[in-house]
Amino acid sequence: MIVPRYWAEGRVQHVERSRERRRQITIRRFGWSDTSIGEAQQMADARAAEALEAVLAGRRRVQRMEPKVPYNGAEGVPIREEIIARQGETILTRNRYGALCLNTADTAFIDIDHRASTPPWFAALLLMAVFPFATHLAHPYPLTFRILWYIATTLLMLAVSGALWRRAVSLFGGESAMIRRRVERFFRRHPDLSGTLYETPGGYRLLLTQGPVDPNSPTLANWFRELRADREYVKMCSRQHCFRARVTPKPWRIGGAPLHHSVGAVWPLNPDQLAKREAWVIEYDQRRTGYAACRFVQTFGTAPEDAQVRQVQAWHDELSGARSGLPIA
């Protein structure tokens, strides 16, 4: 995990001239450093030169310009966010919409969100069950009618599958109860693990407390699948080589606008944007006083907790208000 303090951009050009045409190749790359802007510029220039060499060697899939994006950004580029504080290797940053996030290299936070829609497999099973009957009914009719019949049947089954899925979930006690039972089963299968479960506005957050975890390990990938972790979160853990937990509310849940709607979201900013950003932060901090980002639920497992993970957890609980009893947002 890398969250640099300094950023720079390197730019190189190559011009080829012939009788027929003039061809110009421009390559831009970012560089970063925790030491100085000069060191960041050296890296940027070196990365740009290396990319140009690859283009001239005939490699087709060389990106000419890296996008200037934050946490969920380009492959191979570190987290591009303002550093607010550090405790050891754990870093607190402000994300693109203004909330504070903990970033850790090996303390495993796992997001397990409620489903936003009906699982595709459930809708597919329902269609497979209904289509033979629908085909039988439509068989005597002309082709045009059969095509319209199949389209109408598909749309109807997609709508019905949503209602049936919601009914099935309610029969099992609701999505929250299902997730908690899934977590309980996970720790029964893995008695060498321990963890703490938190409720979030969109589902749950699990913190594994038995020790450090490699965010790119095959073992973790299996745990993600068992727990049905949020797919976007899983992808970001692998891409950024770290774990992440939002510890302050999302601005729109507490009556405010996201930071990136009014100020540039990607760090570092132009100097003329800093005053506007600071004014937004002051207002946001006032709004979030009465809210928590998550709520402590319970602990699982009997494996001894790791001392380093406990320090990260203590900071997480303090920043997020997990044990404060405040409403979550």
Side-chain angles (χ1 to χ4, degrees), residues 9-44:
E9 186 176 36
R11 181 173 178 270
V12 294
Q13 283 187 331
H14 177 79
V15 179
E16 296 177 352
R17 290 184 175 89
S18 66
R19 292 182 179 180
E20 293 78 18
R21 66 189 179 104
R22 176 179 180 273
R23 180 190 178 211
Q24 179 175 295
I25 301 171
T26 302
I27 302 291
R28 293 180 179 176
R29 287 292 184 271
F30 295 118
W32 52 88
S33 169
D34 265 340
T35 305
S36 69
I37 189 68
E39 189 175 275
Q41 189 64 59
Q42 287 179 358
M43 173 187 271

Side-chain angles (χ1 to χ4, degrees), residues 210-232:
Q210 77 288 334
V213 178
D214 181 351
N216 291 108
S217 71
T219 300
L220 177 66
N222 291 331
W223 294 347
F224 277 149
R225 283 191 290 270
E226 286 185 56
L227 292 164
R228 299 178 203 169
D230 177 68
R231 291 183 180 180
E232 188 67 17

